Every structure is written in C-alpha cells, then in structure tokens.
Amino acid sequence: MQARLLNTAAEKTEADALIVPIVEGQTSVPAEAQALDKKLKGAIGQLLKDREFRGKFMELVPVHNLNNAASKWTVLVGVGKLDQLDMVRLRNALQAAGRVLRKRGHRRVAIVLPKEVAARASAADLARAATEGIGLSNFDVGSLKTRHDHAVTQIDSLSLIGLNGDRNATQALKDAVALTDATNRIREWVNAPANAFTPAVFADKVKESVKGTALDLKVLDVDDMRRLKMGALLAVARGSDEPAKMIVLRYSGGRKNGPNLALVGKGITFDSGGISIKPAQNMEMMKSDMGGGAAVVGAMLAIAELKPKINVIGIVPTTENMPSGKAIKPGDVVTGSGGKTIEIINTDAEGRLILSDGITYAVNEGATHIVDIATLTGSIMRTLGPLAIGAFGNDQGLMDLVRRAADLAGERIWELPTWADYDGLIESEIADIKNSTVPWAGATTAALFLREFVDGRPWVHLDIAGSAWQDASELKTVPKGPTGSGVRVMAHLAQLLAGH
Ligand code: BES
Ligand code: MN
Ligand code: ZN
C-alpha cells in the first residue's frame, strides 16, 4: 500500500472512497467536510441532523457523490464517544471500515480528519493510527479458498488530509506503511495450517523474505543444536518427524559496544501438547503457536526498513510439539544449553523449554537487552482475553520503554507480577527447576521459568497467547484471525532503545 499526506480540500480529493470519521452524538457536519457537503446538496448534514447516522463505533454509511465531488463516494465512519477515542480505537474503526470498503471494491481511499478527532493525539500518532488501520485491513484469513466469496480487492493507496506539513507525521506515515506490510506478511504465516508451515518451511519463508534486506540470516539445524547442547529445544523436537530449526536474524545498525537488543520468539508450528496431549476441542488453533516467532521475524523485517541505529538479533527456535514413541515424557529431566537441569512435569509446557535455549543463545551472543515473545499460556488468555499482551520483566527502565513502544504501536499491554514470593513455584525436588506446577498463576510461573535464563540482564517477557489470534465473535471491533501482535511493539522498541 502507498500512503501520503495531502492538503487538498475534501471535495477536491480524488479517491474511490473518502472517509469522514464522525464522533458519536455529532449533529453538524465537521468543518473540514462542509464544502463537500454543499456539493452534495447537504446530504451529510441531513443524515446527521435526522440521526440517521449517529457516529456509533464502527457504524458506516456510504453516500454516493454522483460526480459532484472528485471522489466517487463519501463514507461516514463512526468512531464512537469522544472521551473513549484513543489511537487503539481509531485504528480498529478504520481497520473495520477498510474491510468494508475492500469488499465494495474500493482501492483508493482518502481520510479527512476532522479537528474533533485530530485533537485526540499528535499529528504523528494520528498518521500512524490511520495508516495502520487501513493497512491492517488488507488481510484475509481465506487465502486457501478456491472460490473467493471474501474480499480480494486490496486498498493500494491512502491519502490523509489535514496533517500536511507536519514532519513527524510524514515520517510516522512512512514507518506505518513498513510496519503494516511486515505485520500482514507474518499474519499470513500464523494463519497457515501446520501441514503447510513446518519448521523447515518457516526457515525457507524467512530466507525468501530477507532477500534484498539488510538482514543477515543463519539457520541452525539439529546437528548445530546438538553441538550447542540445546537439550531443552531438542527434548521438545524429539517427538516430531519434522526437523527442528533455529532461525537467527541479525541487524547491525549500531555501534559495536552500543546496546544489543535480542528478540526471542516461540516458534511451535503445531502444539498438540505432546504426551500431555491437549483435548481435541480447539486443538486446530495450535497451528498459531508460532505467533511469537513470526512476530520476531516481522519486527526484524520492519527494523530493516526503519533503520534504527542499534544492533538487533532475532532468534526463533522452531519445532512441532508431538506425541510419539520418541517423545519426552512427564518426569523426564533434560539439560539446557546454559547447563541448568529441567524436570519436565508437563510436556504441554513446551514453549518455555524451547525459549530457554533461545534466550541462552541470546546471552551468549552478548545481548544487553532481552525481549521474548510467545503464545505461552492459557492463563494469560483467561486473564486478559484477546485485547492485551501480558508483560513481565526484571527491569523498570526496559518495561517503561516497552510500554511506550506499545503506545506507539496501538497495542494494549498489561504488566503482571514476578514477585520473589512466587519463586518456589518453579523449584523441582530432583532438578534445578521444573516446567510446570500448581494450577494457578500460570502466566507468572512461565515468566519465572524464563527469568532463570536471562543472566540478570534487562528482560521483558511478552505473553501473546490471547492477543495473537482474535476469535471471540462477541468482540466486534477486531477482525477474526491472526493479529500480528507484537511486531510493531518490538520494532518501535528498537527505535526507542536507539534513542529515536
Ligand atoms: N501454546 C500453549 C498456550 C496457549 C493456549 C496458546 C491457548 C494459545 C491459546 C502452551 O504451550 C501451553 O500449552 N501452555 C499450557 C501450560 C501448562 C501445561 C503449564 C497452558 O497454559 O495450559
Ligand atoms: Mn503447550
Ligand atoms: Zn505451546
């Protein structure tokens, strides 16, 4: 998608659809659309006055311009109550609108931002939210359908009216295009069925996508893992016939002794639970258990475009988690690459096992800051639902930066505790630590396990088990399917750490 800032008048803007966001309860035409309304003989004003369009969140009414304006349609989009309007909601409203417009075959979209809406954030934040909202609408889960009853049209150009001249907005818009492109690309991967997206395919897709970028790729195979004594990753991989891989991406944009950010993502291409097998209900969702790993790759692709002055390493251990005659069993003890012995109580707590070897790799590579991201626990899903990332950490400064990055990304994150009083949860009677325990505080337990491997370095763990995939039909504001959660957060974090 192409995007630009424009300073044409609304009625003179060429587009298939010109979006006018309307706040709930607004009964008069926004100043920026009054000349347009005149050309339309007062059609917009009439709709608002008669309360036929109320500005309710995600409400949408198209008005045909009948050649009276440069755009074909005027599209009123409700953004809900003004006091609830933040950039997360603006993104969601525009994403929903974008999906409707695509179904209607519109390719060229313009948005005129009324001052009521524009007053809610800086020009840069508005440009980001609007561009990403429309950009993220360019995705469908139905790419394997042979009969396309779903939207196939893409919105390929976006014009934003009313922010022209703001340098930060220009940059934000440019970055937003790169960020949504990277996000949509990996949403495709998360959506792919596990038979079409094995660890080897994952590595191949990454290889393909880094061509022509500034990223350096290395793929470790099982022999490399053995040489590096990655006993935890290998333990999970044992049960599967698909060879495990570890994808390592490097972006070198900073000084040698500057910060070295490591992003470590869980790449389980299918999680059956292993011998501690999962119930059949919803098991098909476990094709998306590589969402964290995909998000790391997405972030690296975006970082390669944004070019922050910092070094970043992306690490994605990837394998299936399957039951078989070779699979690990509850009670087994394995040794990770850092030398710690781990008692495997539950083979379904596999994410923390493979991440532990990924994190150790990051430490050995000289990471100064570590962020891991994973669809790690049902517990976080039950706690936060699909609308927030759960965050855990050991360093206030890094946590604050991650929060700022999430704000920029328009993603909600919520911090949960790692109090020392919970330390006993991961103590094993026969080994250094165990991978599963009591049936409560599950997301915290997983975080405490991971913390054992970060060598005391500043670290944040992002649990995206809820946010990576949206499927609650009760929630209408976010489209169903893979969300790309975390991609933009991590890319913004790299920029913030670099001092941008
Ligand atoms: N991949 C799952 C977590 C998950 C659940 C992600 C639902 C998305 C939706 C993870 O590997 C897992 O099975 N976690 C277990 C851990 C438990 C056995 C300690 C869980 O949360 O139930
Ligand atoms: Mn599992
Ligand atoms: Zn899993």
Side-chain angles (χ1 to χ4, degrees):
M1 188 183 77
Q2 308 258 357
R4 59 184 174 162
L5 299 179
L6 267 191
N7 63 354
T8 50
E11 70 280 10
K12 291 189 180 132
T13 301
E14 285 183 31
D16 297 325
L18 174 83
I19 294 177
V20 185
I22 302 282
V23 168
E24 185 170 334
Q26 188 169 334
T27 51
S28 60
V29 179
E32 295 76 2
Q34 276 171 10
L36 169 68
D37 189 41
K38 228 177 222 150
K39 299 255 186 210
L40 303 182
K41 304 194 172 65
I44 305 174
Q46 192 75 46
L47 282 167
L48 295 176
K49 199 168 124 259
D50 294 349
R51 303 289 175 102
E52 289 192 79
F53 184 87
R54 292 167 179 269
K56 290 236 183 276
F57 195 76
M58 280 175 64
E59 190 181 352
L60 184 146
V61 169
V63 179
H64 203 291
N65 293 348
L66 297 172
N67 293 325
N68 292 315
S71 63
K72 194 166 179 203
W73 295 84
T74 296
V75 179
L76 304 183
V77 171
V79 293
K81 296 204 172 77
L82 192 58
D83 61 346
Q84 292 172 351
L85 182 60
D86 59 14
M87 292 304 103
V88 176
R89 302 247 304 163
L90 184 63
R91 262 185 195 75
N92 288 345
L94 290 171
Q95 181 170 190
R99 292 169 69 82
V100 174
L101 298 181
R102 289 177 54 213
K103 291 219 173 77
R104 297 171 57 90
H106 301 314
R107 292 181 170 281
R108 297 175 310 148
V109 171
I111 305 174
V112 54
L113 288 166
K115 62 177 177 317
E116 300 79 15
V117 173
R120 300 295 295 173
S122 71
D125 287 346
L126 290 162
R128 237 189 305 275
T131 308
E132 291 177 2
I134 297 297
L136 291 172
S137 75
N138 276 333
F139 176 80
D140 293 291
V141 290
S143 61
L144 294 175
K145 285 182 191 286
T146 54
R147 285 190 52 184
H148 287 280
D149 52 349
H150 65 289
V152 283
T153 306
Q154 297 270 311
I155 294 175
D156 40 41
S157 96
L158 171 68
S159 307
L160 284 184
I161 306 162
L163 302 173
N164 208 37
D166 189 298
R167 266 187 53 222
N168 293 335
T170 309
Q171 187 61 48
L173 171 132
K174 231 178 105 211
D175 290 358
V177 171
L179 287 162
T180 43
D181 283 351
T183 307
N184 284 344
R185 172 175 237 148
I186 69 102
R187 285 165 93 189
E188 208 65 68
W189 298 353
V190 179
N191 191 44
N195 64 338
F197 205 90
T198 60
V201 173
F202 196 169
D204 283 346
K205 293 273 181 198
V206 175
K207 195 169 164 192
E208 221 176 275
S209 61
V210 300
K211 269 191 199 135
T213 72
L215 298 175
D216 174 66
L217 169 68
K218 185 158 86 181
V219 178
L220 307 189
D221 59 21
V222 171
D223 284 338
D224 298 316
M225 293 168 200
R226 290 209 179 98
R227 194 169 41 76
L228 295 166
K229 300 193 161 58
M230 296 182 167
L233 170 55
L234 287 166
V236 177
R238 282 181 65 86
S240 169
D241 286 347
E242 296 291 339
K245 306 280 172 193
M246 194 153 102
I247 299 163
V248 181
L249 285 169
R250 222 175 280 270
Y251 168 79
S252 309
R255 287 176 294 113
K256 221 180 146 108
N257 47 5
N260 192 359
L261 172 64
L263 306 174
V264 187
K266 170 179 173 182
I268 295 288
T269 58
F270 189 75
D271 182 11
S272 70
I275 296 298
S276 314
I277 199 161
K278 287 180 181 296
Q281 176 107 51
N282 297 330
M283 203 205 271
E284 74 281 3
M285 287 302 308
M286 286 300 120
K287 69 176 185 179
S288 63
D289 210 19
M290 31 59 76
V296 164
V297 178
M300 295 301 289
L301 291 171
I303 287 167
E305 294 278 317
L306 305 180
K307 302 190 171 48
K309 292 194 170 58
I310 184 176
N311 299 322
V312 190
I313 180 168
I315 300 166
V316 183
T318 172
T319 174
E320 291 181 334
N321 183 26
M322 296 291 281
S324 84
K326 288 213 179 81
I328 38 163
K329 300 165 287 291
D332 285 0
V333 174
V334 300
T335 306
S337 48
K340 284 203 164 78
T341 53
I342 305 165
E343 183 185 11
I344 297 170
I345 300 293
N346 190 321
T347 66
D348 198 10
E350 85 296 343
R352 64 202 75 182
L353 295 174
I354 72 166
L355 284 170
S356 72
D357 278 335
I359 291 172
T360 298
Y361 192 87
V363 167
N364 292 339
E365 286 292 317
T368 57
H369 301 75
I370 301 171
V371 172
D372 79 79
I373 179 162
T375 48
L376 207 60
T377 66
S379 162
I380 206 72
M381 163 107 115
R382 287 189 291 277
T383 306
L384 300 177
L387 298 185
I389 298 174
F392 305 79
N394 63 355
D395 183 87
Q396 196 56 52
L398 185 60
M399 184 61 81
D400 289 345
L401 276 189
V402 171
R403 270 185 200 292
R404 278 176 58 198
D407 272 347
L408 291 167
E411 281 209 68
R412 295 185 176 103
I413 75 164
W414 202 260
E415 190 177 349
L416 288 103
T418 53
W419 298 310
D421 310 77
Y422 278 144
D423 283 357
L425 289 178
I426 56 166
E427 267 169 35
S428 162
E429 285 184 10
I430 64 167
D432 293 333
I433 48 175
K434 62 184 175 190
N435 80 331
S436 174
T437 177
V438 294
W440 37 262
T444 286
T445 306
L448 294 175
F449 183 94
L450 296 174
R451 192 178 61 185
E452 289 296 306
F453 299 89
V454 301
D455 187 41
R457 300 179 197 192
W459 155 80
V460 167
H461 158 57
L462 302 175
D463 194 337
I464 57 167
S467 61
W469 191 284
Q470 162 63 29
D471 65 352
S473 52
E474 292 80 358
L475 304 178
K476 299 182 183 71
T477 62
V478 189
K480 286 189 177 194
T483 58
S485 180
V487 171
R488 302 192 308 279
V489 179
M490 292 185 285
H492 282 299
L493 176 66
Q495 286 188 305
L496 291 173
L497 256 186
H500 286 239

